[in-house]
Amino acid sequence: MHHGQRLLQEVNQNGAASPLPAGDYGWAEEISLDLDAVSATCPDCHILLVEANSPDTDPLMTAVDTAASTPGVVAISNSYGGAEDGTITAADAHLNHPGIAVTASSGDSGYGVSWPASSPYVTAVGGTTLTKAAGNPARLDRADVVRGRQRLLSDRAQAGLAA
């Protein structure tokens, strides 16, 4: 029992309870997925949802900085990404918050990673879809996935790509 404590607090990119950005179906889906994952993993955690005014870099980085400057925040999850280029990496400084785990989705486009997941201050996170091939056993355990990842990293290193 939480005795009146709110486990979810929603604020705008400046940390104020209002005005909140207008609703957006695409963002709502991402927010819902993130909140589901975080609350399932840590049902007693206090979650601060900081919503940027738009999907542009400056408002998104303002939201990250607001979250990082909020007392008690230990992790920041970012579910957006785009192409990395010389101009976008200038925003990397907004992701550098020692003592706070900053994560970002690695992308939805298969091979490669998007920014901000490619930032040196961010831990890239992602998922995959595994499909059973005909004739293979149905069982796939964590060791199989780890070996597959090690193989992928080895292949990427041999190709001269950063892992």
Side-chain angles (χ1 to χ4, degrees):
M1 185 61 71
H2 299 288
H3 300 96
Q5 292 181 347
R6 289 179 30 190
L7 294 180
L8 174 63
Q9 179 183 2
E10 187 175 7
V11 297
N12 64 26
Q13 69 184 37
N14 300 310
S18 70
L20 293 174
D24 177 275
Y25 176 78
W27 282 105
E29 185 175 26
E30 290 292 334
I31 290 168
S32 178
L33 290 169
D34 286 353
L35 292 177
D36 285 351
V38 170
S39 62
T41 304
C42 187
D44 294 325
C45 285
H46 295 267
I47 301 168
L48 174 66
L49 172 60
V50 182
E51 292 191 68
N53 291 342
S54 75
D56 299 314
T57 304
D58 288 342
L60 290 169
M61 294 302 98
T62 297
V64 169
D65 290 335
T66 294
S69 68
T70 303
V73 168
V74 297
I76 300 172
S77 172
N78 298 281
S79 289
Y80 54 85
E84 179 182 279
D85 61 32
T87 60
I88 196 73
T89 57
D92 276 345
H94 294 280
L95 302 164
N96 183 11
H97 297 287
I100 297 175
V102 180
T103 63
S105 60
S106 58
D108 298 331
S109 303
Y111 184 77
V113 66
S114 60
W115 186 92
S118 61
S119 169
Y121 304 113
V122 171
T123 299
V125 295
T128 190
T129 301
L130 301 176
T131 305
K132 181 183 163 212
N136 284 345
R139 187 172 163 271
L140 179 68
D141 62 23
R142 185 177 182 282
D144 294 326
V145 174
V146 170
R147 280 191 299 273
R149 172 139 171 80
Q150 288 169 340
R151 228 179 353 266
L152 172 65
L153 293 177
S154 174
D155 292 347
R156 291 180 76 191
Q158 290 173 8
L161 301 172

